[in-house]
Amino acid sequence: MSALARPAAGTPQADAAWDRRRVFLANLRSVGGRAYPRVHGLFREPSWVLFEILLPFLTTSAFVFVYRALQAPPEYVGFVVLGGAMTAFWLNVIWMMAAQLYWEKDQGNLELYFASPVDMMSVLFGMAVGGLIMSSTRAAVVLAVGAVVYGVTFTVDQWGLLLLVFFLTLAALYGLGMMLSSLFVLWGREAWHLTQLLQEPVYFVSGLNFPVGRLGFLGALAVALIPLAVGLDAMRQLAFAGALGPTGTPPPEIEALILVGMAVTFTWMARVMLRILERLAREKGRLSARWR
Amino acid sequence: MSEPHLAPAIDVRGVQRVYQAKPKDVVALAGVDLRVEPGELFGLLGPNGAGKTTLIKILTTLLLPTAGTASVFGFDVAADAKRIRRIMNMVAGGEQSGYGILTVREQLWMFSQFYGLGRREGWRRVDELIEAVGLAEQRVQRVSELSTGQRQKMNLARGLLNDPWILFLDEPTLGLDVSAARTVRELVVEWRAAVPGRTVLLTTHYMAEADELCDRLAIVDRGRILAEGTPVELKRRVQRESVFRLELDRLAGGAAALAALPGVVRAATMSDGAGEVGRERQSVVVNLVLDDDAALGGVVGALGGLGARIVALQKSEPSLEDVFVELVGRGFDDEAVHHGERPGPPPATLAEMTHDTEEAEPLGSEVTR
């Protein structure tokens, strides 16, 4: 039988009535569907080795040499390597999460996502999962190569807490990315500028290449507001136990709680923003009218 | 919600859509009423900016009407959007959706997941559709490497992934060459005919396409439906006279002799055989306008007396373009120029599909009674 001649399942009304299980499965599958292009697309362009591994590694190396020239404690090299690894996630969050829906709108994908029967949150989760897997590759390579080449020694007392903090950091980061993605669509053409505006300041106040506690009040503020700052600080405290001395920041257990709060808040906000976006899209034509 | 078994595929009542804009609001739809029955292939025909796409956006739940109500298979577009999304799909002309880095097969599979198809079921369905739309050779080709026609076939396959009950096609053959446009049209017709109740709402500004495909259609302009009916009904509206193209072996007295016959409004010689030396047969072609079809008998009877024998006789139908011009007072291209746009190239499909035989202006003299 031809694909076009498949027998109809029933009536339109019966086919429109999905039970909860079917709704759940459809949303679950859409997560995998949206993650697919990111996971499989990553390795399709050989240039990823250059852009995702070699260039970030050079940036990290520059700071390593600065610290060595200044004869800083050896743990600082570890801080930089860890920061370099986490950079991968931050770049992914702002360029491929926050700005992504805006680009999807330009391509015509966003309308198709909205017109599909699944929740847009599933599509965002799919983007996040795909981006996470994609960035993990880069992060792992930078961490491994950095550790070997520069002889970083990790002193971990609480592996469980370290892993927990790592995953909470990613949850909070990608929650932030999901929230920003709707905001960027609402702000329209300014998405590109917003992305650039966020990139460098967040690098700085997150202390990607130095302990954030050294920033004093600004560092404390960053720890309270930016998942990358708090996550990285907690991971440094856990991965180089005792090496930091007084950090001027909360202990990792408290920072883990801050991360939980951030992950929940950002994800909830992402859902709220999506609802607002969809409402405005339908009421004002924000997705449909080309000039908007 | 309407009674399910009684619900029309599309029911639009008094729908208005106004976009807030500066310096003044844009009225895209100014009170549209429309009813499409299950199983119909219904066309919205109108120039750019007529409101066709806005209506499709409302019916596909992407846009809310400013006033009025609209439902799809009994489900209200405002309140039951999720249900509508489960049984419909949409494809637009020139669509660039998806990700160029994926292969055709992967891209379609990705979209299948948004409709809840299981992993294996999705791959199987994708392979079936790739075969059906004729993309078997491109199945592992990257989307970014497809031609425009191949891309649109893939888009159509995407639109059929969830086996929708209603398919919204927004200018589906826009920019396609003759062959690709024909393939897309054939697929749409085949898909619709395969299962009773499958419905298609098609927007187009290619009149010949609407004429060929649609069971019924509405002519839309500036947010209003100006006329609705089958293509034949619509054309009959502007056909106040009967027009025939008459090919004769000879005609003594020329078109004037025919124009003098009872019931003949005009007769014009389109080709009198001059310059056809060397051909086996030299014929005379006359464009004949009659009061009504009944006058034809008298003309045919009188031809013997004029020493003429009929070689061919064809009734000329008005085109949908004639209907549009009659209703609106201008053609599609006039509208495009009015808005400062360049009129697009004539659709590649128009010449091959047109049934209109009135396109040729009379070459010779025209005699009016």
Side-chain angles (χ1 to χ4, degrees):
Chain A
M1 182 184 288
S2 158
L4 304 181
R6 276 157 47 99
T11 63
Q13 290 73 26
D15 286 350
W18 288 13
D19 57 24
R20 283 172 183 242
R21 183 174 176 274
R22 192 167 175 191
V23 171
F24 173 76
L25 283 177
N27 280 292
L28 193 63
R29 284 164 181 156
S30 67
V31 173
R34 184 58 191 87
Y36 187 92
R38 297 202 154 177
V39 175
H40 289 260
L42 171 68
F43 303 104
R44 216 154 268 181
E45 296 286 355
S47 59
W48 77 278
V49 177
L50 177 70
F51 291 108
E52 301 290 321
I53 309 273
L54 292 178
L55 293 183
F57 186 70
L58 283 181
T59 310
T60 302
S61 299
F63 283 95
V64 169
F65 285 112
V66 167
Y67 283 132
R68 281 186 174 171
L70 294 172
Q71 296 183 322
E75 288 77 16
Y76 273 66
V77 174
F79 299 164
V80 170
V81 170
L82 194 56
M86 293 306 288
T87 307
F89 295 108
W90 173 241
L91 285 178
N92 189 257
V93 161
I94 53 168
W95 286 107
M96 298 192 75
M97 285 296 298
Q100 183 68 25
L101 280 195
Y102 180 75
W103 291 325
E104 303 272 21
K105 178 191 170 188
D106 268 4
Q107 262 182 301
N109 290 334
L110 196 53
E111 277 196 353
L112 294 178
Y113 293 152
F114 272 114
S116 73
V118 295
D119 198 307
M120 264 301 290
M121 274 301 278
S122 309
V123 177
L124 279 183
F125 272 128
M127 270 166 54
V129 169
L132 209 149
I133 293 170
M134 187 180 184
S135 305
S136 295
T137 314
R138 171 181 157 173
V141 173
V142 169
L143 195 63
V145 174
V148 171
V149 171
Y150 299 117
V152 177
T153 308
F154 296 98
T155 318
V156 183
D157 290 337
Q158 303 177 74
W159 275 104
L161 186 57
L162 177 61
L163 284 174
L164 179 69
V165 165
F166 172 69
F167 287 117
L168 285 174
T169 305
L170 296 187
L173 263 179
Y174 282 89
L176 175 68
M178 291 197 292
M179 184 190 79
L180 289 176
S181 64
S182 297
L183 272 181
F184 278 27
V185 175
L186 291 174
W187 280 324
R189 293 191 183 89
E190 303 309 317
W192 178 268
H193 304 297
L194 283 169
T195 305
Q196 288 182 318
L197 193 69
L198 281 175
Q199 183 174 313
E200 296 300 330
V202 170
Y203 271 162
F204 176 65
V205 297
S206 296
L208 277 171
N209 299 303
F210 56 85
V212 72
R214 302 291 181 265
L215 286 175
F217 173 73
L218 194 61
L221 197 65
V223 164
L225 297 173
I226 303 172
L228 188 61
V230 63
L232 195 53
D233 187 65
M235 281 190 277
R236 280 174 176 157
Q237 290 189 55
L238 290 162
F240 305 98
L244 273 173
T247 60
T249 52
E253 291 81 2
I254 300 297
E255 290 186 322
L257 285 177
I258 295 174
L259 284 169
V260 170
M262 284 179 171
V264 172
T265 306
F266 289 141
T267 308
W268 175 76
M269 287 288 286
R271 180 155 193 80
V272 171
M273 291 293 171
L274 261 184
R275 292 240 167 112
I276 293 172
L277 174 65
E278 184 166 10
R279 183 174 57 76
L280 288 177
R282 298 183 76 199
E283 287 179 359
K284 314 260 185 211
R286 293 289 285 265
L287 295 186
S288 305
R290 290 190 191 282
W291 70 84
R292 283 158 191 271
Chain B
M1 198 177 88
S2 316
E3 277 297 308
H5 58 283
L6 298 175
I10 293 172
D11 192 9
V12 175
R13 296 182 189 189
V15 162
Q16 296 175 24
R17 177 67 221 190
V18 179
Y19 291 108
Q20 290 174 345
K22 290 175 182 174
K24 67 177 194 178
D25 292 350
V26 177
V27 180
L29 293 174
V32 168
D33 294 293
L34 185 69
R35 186 182 166 103
V36 177
E37 298 302 328
E40 275 194 297
L41 201 163
F42 192 92
L44 292 173
L45 180 64
N48 295 333
K52 309 182 298 285
T53 300
T54 297
L55 185 55
I56 281 212
K57 302 275 186 202
I58 288 173
L59 292 169
T60 52
T61 74
L62 291 171
L63 198 60
L64 288 172
T66 310
T69 61
S71 63
V72 176
F73 281 109
F75 300 116
D76 184 77
V77 294
D80 297 317
K82 284 279 182 206
R83 285 195 175 89
I84 294 174
R85 291 170 185 176
R86 291 168 189 162
I87 55 168
M88 66 97 181
N89 214 320
M90 58 183 197
V91 178
E95 187 182 303
Q96 295 293 316
S97 59
Y99 305 96
I101 202 161
L102 297 181
T103 66
V104 170
R105 195 166 178 264
E106 289 172 329
Q107 162 118 318
L108 289 172
W109 180 83
M110 180 194 77
F111 277 110
S112 78
Q113 299 305 286
F114 301 131
Y115 289 89
L117 274 71
R119 188 178 172 80
R120 285 184 187 167
E121 185 190 3
W123 286 118
R124 192 172 59 244
R125 177 79 179 135
V126 164
D127 288 336
E128 286 172 0
L129 282 169
I130 283 175
E131 287 288 336
V133 301
L135 282 178
E137 285 181 24
Q138 288 78 31
R139 76 172 64 220
V140 290
Q141 194 170 322
R142 280 198 196 179
V143 170
S144 58
E145 295 166 356
L146 294 180
S147 70
T148 308
Q150 289 166 345
R151 177 133 203 159
Q152 191 61 349
K153 285 182 194 172
M154 181 191 68
N155 291 336
L156 186 61
R158 180 194 54 69
L160 303 180
L161 279 168
N162 61 325
D163 210 12
W165 280 98
I166 184 162
L167 184 61
F168 294 94
L169 298 173
D170 193 6
E171 307 272 5
T173 58
L174 190 71
L176 299 189
D177 62 30
V178 174
S179 169
R182 187 192 296 126
T183 306
V184 168
R185 287 196 303 272
E186 286 170 356
L187 285 167
V188 170
V189 169
E190 188 189 341
W191 174 81
R192 201 256 316 212
V195 175
R198 279 179 177 170
T199 309
V200 178
L201 183 73
L202 166 87
T203 76
T204 182
H205 65 276
Y206 296 159
M207 291 182 242
E209 181 170 274
D211 201 352
E212 181 190 291
L213 290 181
C214 299
D215 301 322
R216 287 193 307 131
L217 55 93
I219 292 181
V220 190
D221 186 52
R222 294 182 182 170
R224 292 183 188 281
I225 290 181
L226 304 179
E228 192 184 323
T230 65
V232 172
E233 285 169 352
L234 289 171
K235 285 185 277 190
R236 204 174 285 149
R237 284 179 170 216
V238 297
Q239 192 169 30
R240 299 190 186 87
E241 298 161 335
S242 295
V243 181
F244 290 90
R245 184 178 182 275
L246 194 59
E247 187 176 349
L248 305 167
D249 62 344
R250 67 178 69 82
L251 180 60
L258 288 177
L261 295 173
V264 178
V265 179
R266 283 190 306 276
T269 310
M270 298 172 71
S271 164
D272 59 6
E276 295 186 18
V277 177
R279 286 181 55 175
E280 279 187 13
R281 189 176 66 199
Q282 296 182 10
S283 59
V284 181
V285 178
V286 180
N287 206 37
L288 198 62
V289 181
L290 307 178
D291 280 334
D292 57 45
D293 288 358
L296 184 65
V299 173
V300 171
L303 285 175
L306 296 171
R309 191 171 56 83
I310 297 173
V311 177
L313 175 66
Q314 185 178 18
K315 185 169 184 183
S316 298
E317 297 281 350
S319 67
L320 286 174
E321 184 160 13
D322 297 328
V323 180
F324 185 83
V325 171
E326 171 89 4
L327 289 166
V328 180
R330 65 175 195 284
F332 275 21
D333 287 350
D334 300 338
E335 178 70 0
V337 171
H338 175 74
H339 285 307
E341 300 168 6
R342 288 181 59 202
T349 56
L350 201 57
E352 61 153 350
M353 294 195 305
T354 186
H355 304 300
D356 179 18
T357 55
E358 280 194 318
E359 73 282 5
E361 288 297 318
L363 297 175
S365 60
E366 179 175 295
V367 182
T368 306
R369 186 181 64 181

